[in-house]
Amino acid sequence: GMSSLIIGLASADPGLAQMLTAKGHHVYLALGSEDRGDGQLLTLRRPRLSQIEAGLHSLQFSENEASQLARDSARSMTFLRRLMPPALGKIPPWAKAPINQALLAALFLGSWDEDFPGDIALMETLAGSPYAVVAKQLRPLAIALDGPLRLSEKVWKVASPKDAFILLSKFISQSDFSNFLVHFVAVFK
């Protein structure tokens, strides 16, 4: 008979993984935090920075390159894959036009806390929308597998600022940047 295979899927049609496992294969499927499954999921922890560095170093990256890539990856294999030279050009859906103004505002802020009214006001100003609208637009980007944002209770942050900037910088207009600078200066006066 046929021997079982180990199959890795980046995404799958519903039922494909089940069909493959029913035929005796071992299937690894990358899922986002929004995927709950049926209790048969094994959740892997993000690797430590030192593990990523060691892995990159074993792939012949210099110590400096390995360290920089590990830090810029925010411990995400998805981000790391995009930051590595052969992956250039693989653009995630959130980094394709049209770009949500709230996402650009998040890029400028880097992080914000929903418990601080000043953070909320600044996000509303930069995004050009009420905060309830902004949060509703950004929430799917915080739970997506390769999303640019992380949300922990009421604190938001850009998961990998370098990754996000590389992918989104071409969408930043002069007026976006000028608006940010005006408010940046006002916050630090």
Side-chain angles (χ1 to χ4, degrees), residues 88-145:
L88 295 177
K90 293 182 181 175
I91 308 295
W94 54 264
K96 294 179 182 172
I99 295 297
N100 184 323
Q101 190 63 34
L103 181 55
L104 293 181
L107 178 63
F108 282 125
L109 288 179
S111 68
W112 68 99
D113 188 328
E114 292 180 335
D115 282 337
F116 290 120
D119 286 2
I120 300 303
L122 187 55
M123 177 54 90
E124 288 178 330
T125 300
L126 294 176
S129 297
Y131 190 75
V133 172
V134 169
K136 185 175 182 179
Q137 292 172 340
L138 295 180
R139 191 164 306 281
L141 299 177
I143 61 173
L145 177 62

Side-chain angles (χ1 to χ4, degrees), residues 22-59:
K23 293 186 179 221
H25 303 297
H26 302 279
V27 178
Y28 293 89
L29 177 62
L31 300 172
S33 58
E34 73 279 9
D35 295 305
R36 298 287 176 227
D38 58 6
Q40 296 183 22
L41 297 179
L42 173 64
T43 302
L44 303 177
R45 287 180 288 174
R46 289 179 186 264
R48 293 188 308 272
L49 284 180
S50 60
Q51 292 171 313
I52 296 171
E53 284 181 40
L56 290 169
H57 192 65
S58 74
L59 293 172

